[in-house]
Amino acid sequence: MMRITTKQKIKHILIGKNPSEGLIGRIAIYGLLIIIGFVYLYPLIKMFVYSIKDLEDLVNPTVDWIPTKLYLENYRTSWIVLNYGKTLFFSLLVTLVPAIFQTITTSLTGYALAKFKMRGRVIVFGLILMTYLVPSQVYMIPKFVLFDKFGILESAWSIILPASFGQGLSSAIFILIFYQFFRMQPIALDESAEIDGANPYQIFMRIGVPLALPAYLTSFLFSFVWYWNETYISSLFLGTNLYTLQLRLFNFSSQFSLAQGLSQQAVNEAIKYSATILIILPVLVVYIIMQKWFVEGIDRTGVTGE
Amino acid sequence: MTKKPMKRNLRNNLVGWSFLSIWAIGFILFMAYPLILSFYYSLSKVTLSGEGIIVDFIWFENYRQIFSSAAGFSFLQSVRDFAFEILFKVPIITVFAIIIAVLLNQKMKLRGLFRAVYFLPVIIASGPVINQLISQGAATIPLVEESGLIDLINSTFTESLAKPIANIFSELIVILWVSGVQILVFIAALQKIDRSTYEAAMIDGAGPWESFWKITMPALKSMVTVSIIFTIINLATFSENDAILHIKNNMFALDTGFGFSSAVAWIYFIALALILGVAMFAIRLFTKDKVRR
């Protein structure tokens, strides 16, 4: 008897009630997540290691993963070249603002398509997909001409306005995410609220929005990251006087020679990598803050016995 | 009594369009004109000169050229290659993203750290770093190329099949990099499930396999569509995609020009719409008997 129970005990520890709870399952899961995680971390680690190398370490072939000393001068240099303080502010202006408004507008659009069977719905769907499918390169010049007529070129408005009206970067995918999220919400909740006398806008604010919180978070995050990383539209619309951090990184070498007091130095990989890390950092911070808002079981509210 | 449904219908229309109005105004203001103009360009010979844009209307000449000239033919070929690539990549990416999302949604140690790491591809794949990575070889597995696996694939399959299959092996890690968004979309969908649902199912005797198909998959089902659409379009409009390069290169080429390039883009649009249509049809077929609510 004793033997069987130890055997069962071992089996319980190794496999568990549920494969993902046993030791073997745990090791497999963590192993997989760590290996893939390493693939994602690898370039970041490599960039970081390079970014703290001085010139000597950089040319020394025996120094690979561990620099001989912590050299932070590269960060100081790229901070100056990127004009970080000032550029960060402008970058946030053309990233945070479009991201917030794009999220709000696309959620309204997704809600309309999910909850109301109005006329022209199919056409709207087709147009939304069309704006997503047609390669943007081809309508950029017509857009440029149009924005010139509106007089919004070379200002932050050329980025903020289209985004606020749901015509921004990848707006279509956000509309689709919201559409699917709102469609999954139980109609019973809306109906009972309607019986209680709530109007459609109150139902949207009190039931629709809270239940779609994860969709809002992910959409905002994607929108934020994509606007942050964007250089094609911004280089075209912002002109030559306004710079985002990514644009400065894009033109790093020429910016470098323009920056004062650095003329005796040459650009090297280490400095470029430190600049890249400085640009990735704000996005990571935003993600880590937002991540806490992911809450499980948002559908717990109300409906039973469906 | 017969009047009520009519009234309700009208109200539905009005309220629906009020929610839609911001998008509709935006479309008319910012999108309609560029799209129409670009279509008009595709029917014209467009010359970009110092004095401005000269447009000669030539009907469907550009479209005829796509199907009869060398430049057009090499574009059509890259679309065909892309369609094959999609056929392999989309299922792999979708399944991979679902698995990772489910794993990351478990109760586990250091979950916050793991999720932060798995957000990195979202940041990096859309930024300037990804091209740097691919060019430096950090994104491919040297082992795969050195082990002769590629040669083996080339010798076993026909040419049109071998290329995409070989691509998949050499781009395995690239696939990991382009799955970041999909993982997060699935994690978002998983937040809708209350953990007590799983506990209740377990008490009722459901195993993890059943719980996955009966509880997890129905919640993820709608996001599978989103994920597939995103994957296809993301790969299709990636700035280094062959077809996109054709559009970009022809824009300022002397012999073809902006009009031809616009026509190419519109043909590409139609091709993508067809691919999406097929994908949607496949999803419907697949989910019909697998996941039932």
Side-chain angles (χ1 to χ4, degrees):
Chain A
M1 276 306 268
M2 190 61 201
R3 237 184 226 158
I4 296 166
T5 45
T6 19
K7 221 177 177 180
Q8 276 177 336
K9 227 177 199 169
I10 292 168
K11 197 184 162 198
H12 184 77
I13 291 169
L14 287 181
I15 299 168
K17 272 185 292 188
N18 180 326
S20 64
E21 276 168 11
L23 194 63
I24 296 175
R26 285 269 115 176
I27 290 172
I29 290 169
Y30 277 107
L32 184 73
L33 288 179
I34 288 170
I35 290 168
I36 296 166
F38 179 72
V39 172
Y40 292 149
L41 266 178
Y42 175 80
L44 214 63
I45 297 170
K46 196 179 166 189
M47 277 195 289
F48 178 71
V49 169
Y50 263 80
S51 73
I52 54 169
K53 281 183 179 177
D54 65 359
L55 215 54
E56 241 172 81
D57 280 357
L58 218 51
V59 291
N60 187 347
T62 58
V63 179
D64 193 16
W65 281 104
I66 303 156
T68 52
K69 52 189 168 294
L70 183 72
Y71 179 75
L72 292 174
E73 203 56 20
N74 294 326
Y75 282 93
R76 207 182 68 86
T77 311
S78 52
W79 183 283
I80 295 168
V81 176
L82 292 172
N83 194 0
Y84 201 79
K86 250 184 157 174
T87 318
L88 177 69
F89 178 77
F90 184 70
S91 266
L92 284 175
L93 176 71
V94 292
T95 305
L96 263 180
V97 179
I100 291 169
F101 285 113
Q102 165 152 299
T103 307
I104 294 171
T105 304
T106 52
S107 80
L108 289 171
T109 313
Y111 191 77
L113 294 170
K115 298 277 180 181
F116 304 96
K117 304 247 177 303
M118 63 277 195
R119 271 200 189 159
R121 187 166 159 273
V122 179
I123 296 170
V124 170
F125 249 120
L127 289 175
I128 288 170
L129 274 179
M130 185 171 154
T131 58
Y132 197 37
L133 289 175
V134 176
S136 62
Q137 284 86 355
V138 81
Y139 55 77
M140 268 311 150
I141 290 182
K143 228 177 180 176
F144 184 87
V145 175
L146 182 73
F147 284 16
D148 191 33
K149 272 183 204 152
F150 288 159
I152 55 174
L153 280 183
E154 299 188 21
S155 77
W157 292 115
S158 61
I159 312 283
I160 294 172
L161 278 180
S164 308
F165 282 92
Q167 311 297 329
L169 262 187
S170 307
S171 282
I173 201 70
F174 301 125
I175 294 173
L176 280 177
I177 290 176
F178 281 116
Y179 168 73
Q180 296 285 28
F181 246 88
F182 287 127
R183 222 171 50 129
M184 286 199 300
Q185 289 177 1
I187 290 178
L189 278 179
D190 300 358
E191 280 166 353
S192 60
E194 208 184 331
I195 290 163
D196 289 347
N199 68 41
Y201 307 101
Q202 286 168 327
I203 294 174
F204 172 71
M205 288 303 293
R206 303 265 169 81
I207 298 169
V209 174
L211 288 187
L213 193 66
Y216 278 91
L217 279 177
T218 29
S219 294
F220 169 77
L221 278 171
F222 291 154
S223 188
F224 181 83
V225 172
W226 290 337
Y227 270 107
W228 184 263
N229 281 337
E230 205 285 320
T231 52
Y232 180 64
I233 298 170
S234 42
S235 66
L236 195 64
F237 290 168
L238 292 178
T240 46
N241 293 321
L242 295 169
Y243 276 103
T244 63
L245 283 173
Q246 291 288 6
L247 283 176
R248 283 200 187 266
L249 181 68
F250 195 69
N251 303 313
F252 197 77
S253 302
S254 60
Q255 294 283 338
F256 190 86
S257 51
L258 286 174
Q260 283 182 328
L262 299 165
S263 47
Q264 70 279 21
Q265 266 180 286
V267 192
N268 61 41
E269 288 298 284
I271 300 174
K272 268 194 182 172
Y273 283 145
S274 67
T276 311
I277 287 185
L278 279 179
I279 288 176
I280 290 177
L281 224 54
V283 191
L284 262 186
V285 170
V286 167
Y287 177 68
I288 288 166
I289 296 168
M290 301 291 293
Q291 166 170 248
K292 289 189 184 130
W293 291 16
F294 273 112
V295 239
E296 267 176 67
I298 44 159
D299 261 3
R300 213 184 312 219
T301 14
V303 187
T304 47
E306 217 190 326
Chain B
M1 278 312 273
T2 44
K3 229 183 167 183
K4 216 185 168 193
M6 260 286 284
K7 234 176 142 186
R8 196 177 168 82
N9 203 351
L10 180 71
R11 208 179 75 113
N12 238 330
N13 263 305
L14 283 177
V15 176
W17 273 98
S18 72
F19 274 107
L20 205 65
S21 55
I22 303 178
W23 178 88
I25 293 168
F27 183 82
I28 293 164
L29 275 180
F30 299 109
M31 240 12 212
Y33 175 75
L35 281 176
I36 292 167
L37 195 60
S38 136
F39 184 66
Y40 178 70
Y41 281 169
S42 79
L43 301 173
S44 314
K45 175 96 190 142
V46 182
T47 327
L48 301 167
S49 71
E51 294 130 48
I53 305 168
I54 303 161
V55 184
D56 292 318
F57 194 72
I58 51 169
W59 286 105
F60 289 94
E61 182 56 29
N62 288 323
Y63 289 91
R64 206 185 57 80
Q65 243 186 61
I66 292 176
F67 294 97
S68 58
S69 73
F73 189 69
S74 83
F75 159 73
L76 291 175
Q77 206 160 25
S78 62
V79 171
R80 197 199 58 185
D81 288 348
F82 177 70
F84 271 111
E85 195 189 317
I86 284 293
L87 200 63
F88 291 90
K89 274 191 180 172
V90 167
I92 293 176
I93 290 173
T94 309
V95 171
F96 171 74
I98 289 176
I99 292 171
I100 296 297
V102 169
L103 292 183
L104 286 177
N105 202 47
Q106 285 187 321
K107 271 188 198 145
M108 62 191 287
K109 290 199 173 87
L110 300 174
R111 187 165 80 169
L113 181 73
F114 271 110
R115 282 196 185 170
V117 170
Y118 279 77
F119 186 63
L120 285 175
V122 177
I123 302 176
I124 289 173
S126 66
V129 185
I130 190 76
N131 294 329
Q132 228 169 314
L133 280 181
I134 291 170
S135 67
Q136 279 170 3
T140 53
I141 322 169
L143 245 174
V144 175
E145 273 154 17
E146 282 161 19
S147 62
L149 195 63
I150 304 286
D151 296 329
L152 186 76
I153 292 165
N154 279 333
S155 58
T156 26
F157 296 98
T158 59
E159 205 182 324
S160 59
L161 263 177
K163 202 182 160 201
I165 292 177
N167 271 345
I168 279 169
F169 279 101
S170 63
E171 284 180 22
L172 212 87
I173 292 192
V174 176
I175 286 181
L176 295 189
W177 279 106
V178 296
S179 307
V181 169
Q182 295 85 328
I183 293 173
L184 215 66
V185 166
F186 286 130
I187 289 181
L190 286 175
Q191 307 310 306
K192 291 185 82 71
I193 306 172
D194 196 341
R195 201 164 287 279
S196 59
T197 319
Y198 288 108
E199 280 152 20
M202 224 164 84
I203 291 164
D204 287 348
W209 185 248
E210 281 147 323
S211 296
F212 176 79
W213 285 107
K214 297 272 162 65
I215 304 169
T216 313
M217 266 325 265
L220 292 180
K221 196 178 120 193
S222 59
M223 288 303 144
V224 169
T225 317
V226 172
S227 158
I228 287 176
I229 294 177
F230 174 80
T231 308
I232 294 175
I233 305 303
N234 188 39
L235 294 174
T237 53
F238 179 56
S239 61
E240 299 300 312
N241 180 297
D242 272 345
I244 294 291
L245 287 178
H246 273 286
I247 294 169
K248 281 204 270 190
N249 295 340
N250 279 316
M251 255 181 206
F252 303 105
L254 283 174
D255 53 333
T256 47
F258 202 82
F260 179 78
S261 166
S262 302
V264 169
W266 282 96
I267 292 286
Y268 194 44
F269 158 68
I270 291 167
L272 290 178
L274 283 176
I275 292 174
L276 264 192
V278 172
M280 292 300 105
F281 184 69
I283 295 173
R284 199 159 285 177
L285 276 186
F286 186 73
T287 51
K288 217 176 183 177
D289 42 40
K290 268 281 155 58
V291 184
R292 202 168 274 158
R293 280 251 226 188

